[in-house]
């Protein structure tokens, strides 16, 4: 084991070229993850609720769109948004935004199904009892359905977010300097000790994922108690 | 108070209610019975708009249930409903089950809502259970809380959909007692139930419904007393439920 290769490049692993250049490394991975987790979470919530309250044509169309996003590989969506959007709409999407958009759309599509399944797992009678008291549809969701469905959804959210953190590594295909990108760079430059480098990188991913899991569980518990 | 006029309902192509008409006057208690799948639950859920219907007319206190301009949530807040499976909200304590709609729908203050909730809990004999969660209560207790929850809204009438049929036999009476007391106080009630003892004691009228058709709609004394004048289906039904 030679850990010098880690300590020598520690800054580069953690923050990339920052402050002399753009932010990268683990810090960028973290930012990409948090942004995609938030956006995919919000999307998943809205689309999952939409699935639960729509019927017929609207629901079928929504399901089709979602299955499309679930079917395409992340890497292809990243390519498309990065290379196709400028051509089709004449707008340049920065690399980081591309990754966040792609991961959020795909994560959101998966989460929408979890939210939908969580909502559907409650008995129809709960909707009826809440409505019979005069609660408006959004109040029924807010005060009766979601507080019960959310604890059921938490594991899917954590799974999806962990998967998403790992998928941020695909950002390398468009040259976004996140953790695996800088690790590959260092490894290629030094040409020695790839085992140490990638072991260290794996540890960093592990740390990020477990931190997320820890906080997500805590928030879920807090929410359960608050309602 | 409740007027049902020539109402028909289909699920897809199957008709579940055919030209049903009846009315419930203020203070009247009407019991609805009939075989399983005959459309009792459907009929009662039409009254507060939980189910829609395709033809006919229903008014509650003069408000058309299916008119587009009707504010259904507002109408529902004035019509209490009790379900077969209680449908208390399992994530809320008994107290919060009682106060949620008072606060969110009627705009009562938390304090006001809690006082009202407590006084109704007391009325159904469960004041000691305010802090418990529904899963900690027996079925009979849960159903009494559900009745209290509906009463908290100061409803103009109450709908019951087989309130005792999910209960163990020894708990049936504690729920019926609450309902009987309510009926004696003059509450307008529509009750789907097969508890003929309850019907005999407090019902003004009994409706018998079979395959979506109201077959009998008559005074309690006629229904139970003058059996020979009843339709064959009603007689069969009566003898089948009275025999066990
Ligand atoms: N959502 C639905 N979709 C299709 N058919 C339905 C639906 N709900 C009820 N039905 C049908 O409508 C008919 C009437 O049902 P309903 O629940 O009103 O009967 P019920 O008299 O309350 O029976 P039970 O004593 O079993 O509660 C039944 O034949 C049932 O199969
Ligand atoms: Mg029924």
């Amino acid at each position: 084991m030679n850990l010098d290769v880690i300590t020598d490049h520690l800054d580069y692993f953690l923050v990339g070229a920052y402050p002399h250049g753009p932010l990268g490394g683990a810090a960028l991975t973290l930012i990409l993850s948090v942004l995609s987790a938030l956006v995919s979470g919000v999307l998943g919530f809205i689309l999952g609720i939409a699935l639960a309250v729509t019927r017929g044509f609207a629901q079928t169309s929504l399901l089709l769109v979602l299955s499309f996003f679930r079917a395409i590989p992340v890497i292809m969506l990243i390519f498309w948004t990065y290379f196709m959007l400028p051509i089709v709409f004449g707008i340049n999407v920065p690399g980081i935004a591309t990754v966040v958009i792609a991961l959020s759309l795909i994560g959101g599509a998966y989460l929408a199904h979890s939210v939908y399944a969580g909502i559907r797992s409650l008995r129809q009678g709960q909707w009826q009892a809440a409505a019979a008291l005069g609660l408006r549809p959004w109040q029924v969701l807010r005060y009766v359905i979601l507080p019960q469905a959310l604890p059921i959804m938490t594991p899917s959210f954590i799974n999806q977010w962990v998967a998403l953190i790992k998928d941020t590594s695909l950002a390398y295909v468009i040259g976004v300097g996140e953790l695996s990108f800088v690790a590959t760079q260092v490894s290629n430059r030094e040409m020695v000790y790839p085992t140490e480098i990638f072991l260290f990188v794996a540890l960093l991913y592990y740390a990020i994922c477990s931190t997320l899991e820890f906080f997500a569980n805590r928030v879920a518990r807090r929410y359960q108690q608050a309602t | 108070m409740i007027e049902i006029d020539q109402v028909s309902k289909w699920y897809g192509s199957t008709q579940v209610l055919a030209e049903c008409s009846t009315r419930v006057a203020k203070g009247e208690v009407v019991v609805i019975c009939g075989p399983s799948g005959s459309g009792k639950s459907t009929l009662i859920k039409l009254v507060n708009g939980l189910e829609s219907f395709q033809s006919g007319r229903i008014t509650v206190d003069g408000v058309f249930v299916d008119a587009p301009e009707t504010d259904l949530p507002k109408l529902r807040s004035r019509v209490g409903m009790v379900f077969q499976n209680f449908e208390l909200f399992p994530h809320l304590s008994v107290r919060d089950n009682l106060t949620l709609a008072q606060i969110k729908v009627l705009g009562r203050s938390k304090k006001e809502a809690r006082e009202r909730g407590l006084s109704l809990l007391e009325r159904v004999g469960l004041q000691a259970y305010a802090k418990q969660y529904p899963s900690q209560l027996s079925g009979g207790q849960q159903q009494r809380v559900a009745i209290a929850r509906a009463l908290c809204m100061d409803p103009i009438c109450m709908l019951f959909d087989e309130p005792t049929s999910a209960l163990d036999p020894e708990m049936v009476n504690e729920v019926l007692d609450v309902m009987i007391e309510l009926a004696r106080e003059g509450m307008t009630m529509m009750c789907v139930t097969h508890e003929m003892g309850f019907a005999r004691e407090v019902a003004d009228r009994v409706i018998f419904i079979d395959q979506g058709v109201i077959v009998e709609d008559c005074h309690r004394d006629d229904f139970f007393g003058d059996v020979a004048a009843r339709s064959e289906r009603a007689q069969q039904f009566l003898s089948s439920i009275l025999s066990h």
Side-chain angles (χ1 to χ4, degrees):
Chain A
M1 277 276 163
N2 183 324
L3 295 181
D4 287 348
V5 68
I6 309 284
T7 45
D8 287 352
H9 297 94
L10 191 58
D11 282 356
Y12 197 59
F13 279 122
L14 293 182
V15 294
Y18 191 80
H20 309 295
L23 188 70
L28 187 59
T29 293
L30 204 61
I31 290 176
L32 289 174
S33 304
V34 169
L35 285 178
S36 321
L38 284 178
V39 180
S40 67
V42 170
L43 264 182
F45 235 80
I46 294 173
L47 294 174
I49 290 171
L51 273 182
V53 299
T54 50
R55 299 270 174 283
F57 180 73
Q59 195 187 41
T60 313
S61 331
L62 194 52
L63 279 170
L64 271 175
V65 174
L66 292 180
S67 65
F68 171 76
F69 279 109
R70 290 207 300 178
I72 44 175
V74 184
I75 202 161
M76 250 169 81
L77 192 60
I78 293 178
F79 263 131
W80 276 1
T81 26
Y82 195 62
F83 295 112
M84 297 287 282
L85 281 189
I87 296 170
V88 179
F89 295 106
I91 44 168
N92 246 322
V93 188
I96 295 180
T98 305
V99 175
V100 172
I101 292 172
L103 290 179
S104 302
L105 284 176
I106 289 174
Y110 274 98
L111 287 174
H113 278 277
S114 310
V115 171
Y116 180 43
I119 291 176
R120 278 229 314 205
S121 69
L122 301 181
R123 270 182 303 162
Q124 191 65 23
Q126 288 283 304
W127 289 85
Q128 294 194 339
L133 284 165
L135 293 167
R136 298 190 181 272
W138 67 267
Q139 290 178 315
V140 175
L141 266 172
R142 164 74 183 80
Y143 299 112
V144 177
I145 303 300
L146 288 180
Q148 294 184 65
L150 208 71
I152 302 171
M153 303 170 200
T154 315
S156 330
F157 266 78
I158 291 176
N159 278 341
Q160 192 53 43
W161 280 339
V162 166
L164 186 149
I165 290 173
K166 293 184 292 185
D167 283 347
T168 57
S169 61
L170 294 173
Y172 83 90
V173 297
I174 53 168
V176 172
E178 45 65 62
L179 183 52
S180 15
F181 185 86
V182 299
T184 315
Q185 263 188 341
V186 172
S187 178
N188 289 347
R189 199 185 314 147
E190 300 288 324
M191 306 264 267
V192 283
Y193 314 125
T195 317
E196 283 83 348
I197 292 174
F198 285 104
L199 208 60
F200 176 66
V201 168
L203 271 177
L204 280 180
Y205 274 110
Y206 179 69
I208 295 175
C209 291
S210 352
T211 314
L212 167 107
E213 199 169 332
F214 176 76
F215 282 109
N217 272 325
R218 261 184 52 155
V219 170
R221 260 202 302 277
R222 270 263 291 284
Y223 188 83
Q224 248 173 304
Q225 282 163 1
T227 54
Chain B
M1 174 75 65
I2 301 170
E3 296 192 15
I4 300 175
D5 187 19
Q6 298 283 315
V7 168
S8 299
K9 175 173 176 67
W10 285 263
Y11 278 117
S13 58
T14 49
Q15 185 161 21
V16 289
L17 291 175
E19 317 227 312
C20 294
S21 301
T22 189
R23 51 175 54 205
V24 183
K26 189 163 186 297
E28 212 176 8
V29 176
V30 172
V31 160
I32 302 169
C33 58
S36 178
S38 55
K40 307 176 298 288
S41 301
T42 308
L43 180 66
I44 207 162
K45 282 175 185 166
L46 294 185
V47 174
N48 64 351
L50 286 181
E51 296 280 357
S52 58
F53 51 97
Q54 281 75 33
S55 75
R57 223 180 41 179
I58 299 180
T59 61
V60 176
D61 195 29
V63 179
F64 288 94
V65 173
D66 68 329
E69 68 271 17
T70 298
D71 183 356
L72 257 187
K74 183 157 182 224
L75 177 66
R76 287 176 183 146
S77 72
R78 303 170 64 211
V79 178
M81 181 149 195
V82 175
F83 297 81
Q84 182 171 2
N85 293 314
F86 330 133
E87 302 300 349
L88 294 178
F89 307 134
H91 61 297
L92 298 179
S93 65
V94 166
R95 185 180 69 188
D96 293 344
N97 263 279
L98 296 176
T99 56
L100 177 68
Q102 292 188 66
I103 296 169
K104 303 299 175 193
V105 177
L106 302 180
R108 287 182 183 157
S109 73
K110 207 171 198 172
K111 181 164 172 285
E112 212 180 343
R114 283 187 177 172
E115 278 167 10
R116 181 87 183 114
L118 260 186
S119 76
L120 279 158
L121 262 192
E122 204 172 312
R123 179 169 166 180
V124 298
L126 294 171
Q127 60 275 33
Y129 293 82
K131 296 255 165 64
Q132 312 266 28
Y133 281 80
S135 59
Q136 297 168 298
L137 271 56
S138 72
Q141 291 171 330
Q142 289 189 48
Q143 193 61 298
R144 279 143 69 198
V145 171
I147 295 174
R149 177 175 73 179
L151 292 176
C152 280
M153 305 295 284
D154 300 317
I156 54 171
C157 60
M158 289 282 288
L159 310 173
F160 293 85
D161 188 3
E162 304 206 38
T164 57
S165 58
L167 295 176
D168 291 336
E170 72 269 21
M171 295 175 185
V172 168
N173 279 331
E174 64 190 66
V175 172
L176 287 182
D177 286 345
V178 173
M179 291 171 62
I180 289 170
E181 196 185 313
L182 204 56
R184 295 222 165 105
E185 283 167 14
M187 175 62 80
T188 310
M189 293 163 66
M190 258 181 117
C191 313
V192 175
T193 181
H194 290 163
E195 294 294 335
M196 289 302 135
F198 171 81
R200 277 211 175 90
E201 199 153 328
V202 292
D204 295 295
R205 279 185 11 248
V206 179
I207 291 175
F208 173 73
I209 176 167
D210 186 28
Q211 298 185 348
V213 179
I214 293 183
V215 179
E216 302 282 352
D217 183 351
C218 55
H219 191 270
R220 159 195 57 182
D221 296 337
D222 294 332
F223 192 81
F224 294 112
D226 194 3
V227 175
R230 304 279 67 83
S231 68
E232 196 182 324
R233 282 296 289 130
Q235 288 187 32
Q236 278 171 13
F237 175 75
L238 266 179
S239 66
S240 77
I241 55 167
L242 291 181
S243 65
H244 51 288

